């Protein structure tokens, strides 16, 4: 009998992660002999940990905060979106070489299609927050042919920096930046958007305020929070008449693409969704 394939999640911290249950449900549904382990590692020890995983014969792993940038520098190859965003969240270990991918953008794209029926190609999107999560996903959206990307961030310089990268990648994509102030120009940009993504960390804590001022949101606007727990934004935007979705399906589909990259098989979405919901206690 061959030994099970080993996969895992590198991050700091990782103990809250629901990926083991989600990926485990996928492996079980297809009868694959594979395991998925939590691999906590502090930033200064990432390179040593990766050497250890290679030596132990791990077939691949996911990477979460704060190591996605560091992993980009540890892989032998990176797909275009991962290289451009300087972010690797999925690694395949094959014949002693490491291949890096970024599946967050695909996750957001599929979640958007499922929640709102909106395709990325030709679409207009607002990213509220321009940290690592927004960068990885916005790069994917531009490479996939989004028509307009609007970046809103408390620290405007960071939005401007990301805008410059996006503009280099997608010359036909319109990119605009705003500070998060309720100005008429920002209100108009939000009105024109197909989907507004909440990408800041505001909402991770239960007593956090609403991340986007309601005065800027029109009833009927489509709002997705990348946070996968209920947030004040989602509750208040829904009461305001917006169409809302949380980050669960983004998490599901980024994991589904990792599953496909590792196994070569189509990810069993219903089983993985069930595993994810159980892990989240739903
Ligand atoms: P992630 O990898 O999850 O995107 P990150 O890279 O630390 O995390 O980015 C966090 C994002 O949340 C940034 O856009 C940050 O804004 P700044 O660039 O101004 O720091 C945003 N953010 C965090 N706390 C915030 C707050 N209290 N109000 C508004 N934005 C906040």
């Amino acid at each position: 009998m061959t030994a099970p394939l080993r996969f895992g999640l590198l991050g700091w911290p990782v103990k809250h992660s629901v990926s083991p249950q989600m990926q485990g449900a996928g492996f079980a549904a297809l009868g694959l002999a594979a395991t998925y382990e939590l691999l906590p590692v502090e930033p200064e020890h990432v390179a040593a940990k990766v050497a250890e995983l290679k030596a132990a014969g791990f077939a691949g792993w996911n990477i979460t905060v704060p190591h996605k940038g560091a992993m980009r520098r540890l892989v032998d190859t990176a797909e275009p979106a991962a290289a451009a965003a300087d972010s690797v969240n999925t690694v395949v270990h094959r014949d002693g070489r490491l291949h890096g991918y970024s599946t967050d953008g695909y996750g957001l794209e599929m979640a958007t299609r499922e929640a709102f029926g909106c395709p990325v190609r030709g679409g207009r999107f607002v990213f509220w927050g321009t940290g690592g999560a927004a960068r990885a996903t916005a790069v994917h959206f531009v490479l996939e042919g989004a028509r307009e990307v609007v970046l809103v961030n408390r620290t405007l310089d960071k939005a401007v920096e990301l805008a410059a990268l996006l503009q280099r990648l997608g010359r036909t994509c319109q990119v605009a930046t705003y500070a998060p102030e309720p100005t008429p120009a920002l209100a108009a940009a939000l009105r024109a958007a197909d989907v507004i993504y909440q990408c800041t960390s505001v909402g991770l804590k239960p007593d956090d305020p609403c991340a986007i001022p309601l005065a800027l949101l029109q009833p009927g606007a489509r709002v997705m929070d990348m946070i996968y727990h209920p947030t004040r934004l989602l509750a208040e935007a829904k009461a305001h008449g917006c169409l809302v979705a949380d980050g669960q399906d983004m998490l599901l589909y980024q994991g589904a693409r990792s599953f496909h990259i590792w196994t070569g098989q189509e990810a069993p979405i219903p089983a993985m969704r069930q595993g994810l919901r159980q892990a989240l206690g739903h």
Side-chain angles (χ1 to χ4, degrees):
M1 212 175 93
T2 53
L5 292 173
R6 289 178 81 182
F7 299 97
L9 174 66
L10 282 177
W12 187 258
V14 290
K15 63 176 185 299
H16 60 278
S17 171
V18 293
S19 291
Q21 290 94 323
M22 178 172 70
Q23 297 292 351
F27 297 142
L30 297 191
L32 300 173
T35 61
Y36 191 100
E37 301 162 40
L38 291 178
L39 305 164
V41 57
E42 290 170 87
E44 58 271 36
H45 299 133
V46 174
K49 187 72 181 179
V50 165
E52 197 185 296
L53 297 180
K54 285 177 82 172
F58 270 69
W61 50 90
N62 284 133
I63 302 90
T64 188
V65 179
H67 304 323
K68 293 182 189 183
M71 195 58 61
R72 162 68 187 102
R73 288 172 280 285
L74 291 169
V75 294
D76 298 293
T77 68
E79 67 173 336
D86 198 27
S87 176
V88 163
N89 81 329
T90 303
V91 166
V92 179
H93 176 206
R94 195 174 291 135
D95 304 325
R97 283 167 63 82
L98 301 181
H99 305 284
Y101 301 83
S102 174
T103 71
D104 291 323
Y106 171 84
L108 189 64
E109 177 178 5
M110 292 300 288
T112 300
R113 206 178 291 176
E114 197 137 313
F116 305 128
C118 293
V120 165
R121 184 162 297 281
R124 306 166 88 146
F125 304 97
V126 172
F127 290 81
W128 190 282
T130 58
R135 189 175 68 237
T137 51
V139 161
H140 174 86
F141 273 42
V142 167
L143 292 177
E144 291 300 312
R147 174 155 58 118
E148 184 177 291
V149 169
V150 173
L151 304 172
V152 186
N153 201 44
R154 176 180 64 175
T155 310
L156 188 59
D157 284 357
K158 291 196 202 162
V160 170
E161 199 180 305
L162 177 56
L165 167 66
L166 298 180
Q167 207 68 86
R168 282 198 301 278
L169 293 173
R171 290 177 194 280
T172 60
C173 184
Q174 296 279 336
V175 184
T177 56
Y178 293 93
E181 285 150 14
T183 59
L186 177 53
L190 288 160
R191 261 199 312 279
D194 292 311
V195 184
I196 299 159
Y197 298 112
Q198 197 302 106
C199 322
T200 76
S201 45
V202 178
L204 282 173
K205 291 190 239 93
D207 53 351
D208 275 350
C210 182
I212 303 177
L214 283 189
L216 283 170
L217 297 174
Q218 295 272 110
R222 303 182 191 94
V223 179
M224 183 176 285
D225 202 323
M226 287 195 184
I227 295 172
Y228 54 81
H229 295 292
T231 61
R232 184 160 299 189
L233 168 66
L234 291 182
E236 294 190 2
K238 188 173 176 192
H240 188 65
C242 299
L243 307 173
V244 301
D246 64 28
Q248 266 187 51
D249 273 356
M250 177 183 171
L251 183 63
L252 171 67
Y253 283 105
Q254 63 79 32
R257 182 164 178 243
S258 297
F259 185 101
H260 176 71
I261 289 167
W262 291 327
T263 66
Q265 305 210 36
E266 201 174 319
I269 295 293
M272 291 177 74
R273 177 176 274 129
Q274 177 77 3
L276 175 62
R277 291 212 170 130
Q278 269 172 7
L280 290 171
H282 296 178

